[in-house]
Amino acid sequence: TGILEEDVQGEGPEEGTEVDGDTSSANDKYKIVVMPKQVGITYFEAARAGVEEAGEKLGVEAIFTGPTVADAAEQVKMIQDLMSQGVDAIAVSANDAAALTPVLQQAREQGIVILDWDSPAEEAVVDLSVKEIDYKNYAECTWDELVKAMGTDEGEYAILTSTLTAGSCNEWIKFGKEYAAEKYPNLTLVTDPVCTNENVQEAYTKTLDLLTTYPDLKGIIGFSSPAPIGAGQAVSEKGLQDAVSVVGSAMPNDAREYLHEGAIDTVLLWEPARLGYLTVYLAKYTLEGN
């Protein structure tokens, strides 16, 4: 936590955790689609590297594609298009689980293996769910790090999140609030979680609003990788590094500048490249009848 490390793009699972070897001929490779919430942001581009590496090492056609904004309607359109392209599996990071249920059910009825990864879809319409982290453990660790960074277990704090329909973020928030109520009863959440739509600029603007509206704010939790970056930018601009603590999920290289100056205190993250690799591996494993 809080440690600077090189970008994990291009890494696969550690040696001994993967199965190498092309078990498919060139003409019958499985077509496995991995769809993020949104292409173009650092976190999902790191996942892309793992997906592409898995395609090469596992002998499948691994396709990484998704909308340019975090929008469930765009994901639905893309999945509808993919259904006519002869793909074997679709793994989706759901912007809105309920909105995707009808199209995922259609795809499954068509014989396409359906997985979710990174952010869950409805359990009833997936063959397999790939979790990036234990949600309860991750939430509790985040709240512990907030209190550690603040240097006190009392005071006002706020939560920045992705969207109101982001399943993984909602689970972290649920478990975190339950944990805080029991372990840190003197922490005060000043408002409902604030949506930032996977956008650094929006997180920055919303954080400025929070700092103005709640002048006694001591802490900010940022869920979704752009959120802590925007929060750190706002804290830095206002010179509040020693007054407001920021923790959350962010790519280390994105957060590097703000970590050095103390505008972000701690980032906690798994390795998205390995998550991408694992998703392709498990899609292939499922397609093989396992």
Side-chain angles (χ1 to χ4, degrees), residues 29-222:
K29 285 184 176 182
Y30 289 124
K31 290 184 179 180
I32 298 171
V33 175
V34 179
M35 180 176 292
K37 291 180 184 175
Q38 173 183 343
V39 296
I41 64 175
T42 309
Y43 170 83
F44 283 121
E45 291 308 305
R48 180 197 294 270
V51 168
E52 292 175 350
E53 182 181 4
E56 294 173 5
K57 289 191 174 182
L58 303 177
V60 300
E61 184 179 349
I63 303 161
F64 190 88
T65 185
T68 56
V69 292
D71 182 69
E74 289 300 314
Q75 287 186 314
V76 169
K77 291 178 185 176
M78 296 186 78
I79 292 168
Q80 288 171 334
D81 289 340
L82 289 165
M83 287 167 59
S84 64
Q85 296 175 23
V87 302
D88 298 294
I90 298 172
V92 62
S93 176
N95 280 305
D96 182 338
L100 295 183
T101 294
V103 72
L104 292 180
Q105 184 61 44
Q106 292 168 13
R108 203 176 185 196
E109 290 170 356
Q110 189 174 302
I112 298 172
V113 167
I114 301 298
L115 296 83
D116 62 37
W117 72 291
D118 178 70
S119 187
E122 295 286 349
E123 184 177 354
V125 294
V126 298
D127 297 283
L128 188 69
S129 184
V130 187
K131 277 187 167 182
E132 69 278 22
I133 201 77
D134 179 275
Y135 291 165
K136 185 174 186 291
N137 176 265
Y138 184 70
E140 292 179 356
C141 186
T142 300
W143 262 257
D144 285 342
E145 289 296 328
L146 177 69
V147 168
K148 180 180 176 183
M150 289 168 53
T152 178
D153 62 0
E154 61 182 45
E156 297 181 351
Y157 77 106
I159 300 170
L160 302 178
T161 189
S162 173
T163 64
L164 291 180
T165 55
S168 52
C169 294
N170 286 344
E171 288 292 296
W172 303 336
I173 292 167
K174 180 190 76 173
F175 283 122
K177 288 169 67 176
E178 291 172 354
Y179 181 63
E182 179 180 344
K183 187 170 183 180
Y184 304 119
N186 294 321
L187 283 181
T188 302
L189 184 62
V190 295
T191 186
D192 291 337
V194 178
C195 294
T196 61
N197 293 304
E198 303 281 340
N199 186 280
V200 170
Q201 180 62 34
E202 192 163 342
Y204 162 74
T205 302
K206 296 286 180 66
T207 300
L208 289 178
D209 291 342
L210 287 168
L211 295 173
T212 300
T213 306
Y214 305 101
D216 295 327
L217 199 68
K218 290 185 178 179
I220 295 172
I221 291 173

Side-chain angles (χ1 to χ4, degrees), residues 251-270:
M251 293 291 287
N253 281 352
D254 288 348
R256 183 181 299 273
E257 174 186 348
Y258 298 122
L259 282 165
H260 274 305
E261 68 168 77
I264 296 176
D265 293 85
T266 306
V267 297
L268 307 93
L269 199 69
W270 50 95

